[in-house]
Every structure is written in C-alpha cells, then in structure tokens.
C-alpha cells in the first residue's frame, strides 16, 4: 500500500513541477516589462500618458525608477536587517532579481543582475539551493547551498575592511612600535552570497551544530523571502503596500 502511495506522490510531484514551470514561463513577460520600466527603456512610452517629463521643481526626471530594488529589499522585514548603509550605493545598481527553478522541481537559483558599477566586476551574482522536498509541505531539507565569488574591485570590498593597529613591543623590543594592517569583517548584505560552511560533524560540538543549523535556517529564510515575496511582488514592496497588507493580515 505504501509503495502504491509513493508511486502516486511521484506522479503528483511530476505534474506539479510541470505546472510550476508552466506558470513561471507565463510570468516572464510581466517580469521583463517590469525590468524595462525600472531601467527606463519605457520612459518615452510612459511619458506620452503624462502631462510633463519634469518633476515638481521643474527638473528633468531620472530615467526609470532609481533605487527600486534597494527599496524593495529594505522594506521587507526578513531582508532589511541585512542591508548596511555602505551597501546602498551598490544595491542601487541592481537591474533585476530573478528566481529560476530547477527543472526537476528540487531547488532554485537566485540571480541578481547588476549594471556596471564601482564595486565589483560580476554582471550577475547567484545563490543556488538544492531542496529535494521543495514542492512538499514538509520542513525543507537543504541538500546543498552554493554561493558565488564576488570579484571586488581594488579597495571596494563591502564585506571586509582593513584597519591599522599600533603594536607595542615587549621584552627586548620594549618601547618600539609598529603599525599592523588587519582585515576585519564588515556587516554587509553581500555576505549572503557566501553560504554557511559545513564543519566536520565528527569534530563539531553540540553548540557549533546548533549554531550552524540556525545559520542555515536564517539563510534559507532570506532566500525564500526573495523567491516567494520580493521577486513576484517587488512593486508592492517598493511602494510599501505589501507591508501594510501583511500587518492587516496579522491583525485579522
């Protein structure tokens, strides 16, 4: 009986995967048009329906919607705490954020497309999640999480910074000083692209295992915030409407 049920569930997952891919494909034209609006390639078409291409002060309007994705990310409770003030200029360069599902329905890839910027060489930053039970209601089982290497331009890394410390000598070197340069971690949204590392479970303590589980849970919560909320409803997060809807739903 169990084997028969398992065979039926396999058929269900195959059909659901096909349905997910169908509507993901049907949604793409909407996302492409949204991207064009954000970038400003539809400004002329939009302006034809407006009375003026200047703002209230008489100045020429910016192309597209500046800071669109940065604002959407900052409005979402799960992701806003990850954004440091030093990230904002770089995040303003996001052209599009996409979620591409695995063909077998067992995971997804997040793609953050950037225009030319002063911070790194990459055109697209990616984060991939392999989740065998993604389409089931069970607690997600993360089989693998893979980030990407950010090719920072010299002196522009946002995830770390160099500080100088003066060390005073001891013993024979007492009274002497030297300046030492150290690289220290800096809070940044871009740590998201470096997933938690799995230590040797044989050598790990119970506390280390618990901390690792929490780190993976928090990381996956961020990924799901992009996949299920920010990407499909970016306009509402940018405008603040999504937050209002969530607050109203919580009060009901």
């Amino acid at each position: 009986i169990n084997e028969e049920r398992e065979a039926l569930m396999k058929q269900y997952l195959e059909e659901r995967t096909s349905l997910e891919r169908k509507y993901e494909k049907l949604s793409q034209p909407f996302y492409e048009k949204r991207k064009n609006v954000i970038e400003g390639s539809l400004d002329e078409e939009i302006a034809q329906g407006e009375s003026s291409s200047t703002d209230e002060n008489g100045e020429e309007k910016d192309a597209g919607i500046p800071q669109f994705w940065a604002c959407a990310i900052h409005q979402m409770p799960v992701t806003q705490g990850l954004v440091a003030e030093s990230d904002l200029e770089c995040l303003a360069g996001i052209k599009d954020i996409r979620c591409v599902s695995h063909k077998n329905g067992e995971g997804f890839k997040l793609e953050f497309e950037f225009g030319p910027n002063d911070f790194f060489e990459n055109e697209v930053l990616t984060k991939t999640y392999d989740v065998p039970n993604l389409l089931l209601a069970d607690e997600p089982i993360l089989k693998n999480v893979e980030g990407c290497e950010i090719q920072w331009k010299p002196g522009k890394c946002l995830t770390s910074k160099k500080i100088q410390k003066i060390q005073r000598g001891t013993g024979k070197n007492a009274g002497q000083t030297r300046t030492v340069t150290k690289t220290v971690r800096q809070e940044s949204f871009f740590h998201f692209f470096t997933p938690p590392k799995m230590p040797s479970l044989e050598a790990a303590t119970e506390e280390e295992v618990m901390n690792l589980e929490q780190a993976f849970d928090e990381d996956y919560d961020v990924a799901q915030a992009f996949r299920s909320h920010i990407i499909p409803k970016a306009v509402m997060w940018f405008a603040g409407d999504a937050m209002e809807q969530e607050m109203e739903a919580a009060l009901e």
Side-chain angles (χ1 to χ4, degrees), residues 36-41 43 61-66:
N36 291 336
V37 172
I38 294 168
E39 288 183 322
S41 58
D43 278 2
K61 292 181 180 179
D62 292 326
I65 308 176

Side-chain angles (χ1 to χ4, degrees), residues 7-72:
L8 182 63
M9 290 304 298
K10 183 178 179 181
Q11 181 182 343
Y12 159 74
L13 287 175
E14 289 174 352
E15 291 188 15
R16 178 167 175 176
T17 298
S18 177
L19 193 63
E20 292 270 350
R21 290 178 62 190
K22 172 185 176 180
Y23 281 92
E24 185 177 286
K25 185 176 180 180
L26 290 173
S27 297
Q28 290 312 305
F30 299 108
Y31 294 152
E32 283 296 323
K33 189 169 185 179
R34 180 179 67 188
K35 178 184 176 183
N36 291 336
V37 172
I38 294 168
E39 288 183 322
S41 58
L42 294 180
D43 278 2
E44 187 174 336
E45 179 180 330
I46 295 171
Q48 292 177 359
E50 298 178 352
S51 58
S52 175
S53 61
T54 59
D55 61 20
E56 295 178 356
N57 298 320
E59 298 178 355
E60 194 73 19
K61 292 181 180 179
D62 292 326
I65 308 176
Q67 300 281 354
F68 177 88
W69 287 106
C71 287

Side-chain angles (χ1 to χ4, degrees), residues 175-207:
Q176 298 181 12
T177 62
R178 65 172 182 168
T179 301
V180 178
T181 301
K182 296 180 66 176
T183 300
V184 297
R185 175 188 170 93
Q186 180 172 269
E187 292 303 315
S188 172
F189 169 77
F190 292 93
H191 285 296
F192 175 66
F193 297 98
T194 304
K197 293 183 179 180
M198 179 70 73
S200 171
L201 294 180
E202 296 178 357
T205 65
E206 183 177 349
E207 182 179 359

Side-chain angles (χ1 to χ4, degrees), residues 112-154:
F112 295 71
E113 181 184 350
F114 285 78
N117 62 80
D118 296 331
F119 296 90
F120 48 75
E121 302 290 350
N122 312 62
E123 293 183 3
V124 180
L125 301 181
T126 62
K127 188 81 173 282
T128 304
Y129 291 81
D130 295 330
V131 191
N133 64 338
L134 179 65
L135 299 182
L136 297 173
D138 302 335
E139 188 73 16
I141 299 174
L142 292 179
K143 182 179 180 182
N144 185 49
V145 182
E146 186 175 341
C148 68
E149 181 181 353
I150 302 178
Q151 301 169 0
W152 297 106
K153 295 181 179 179

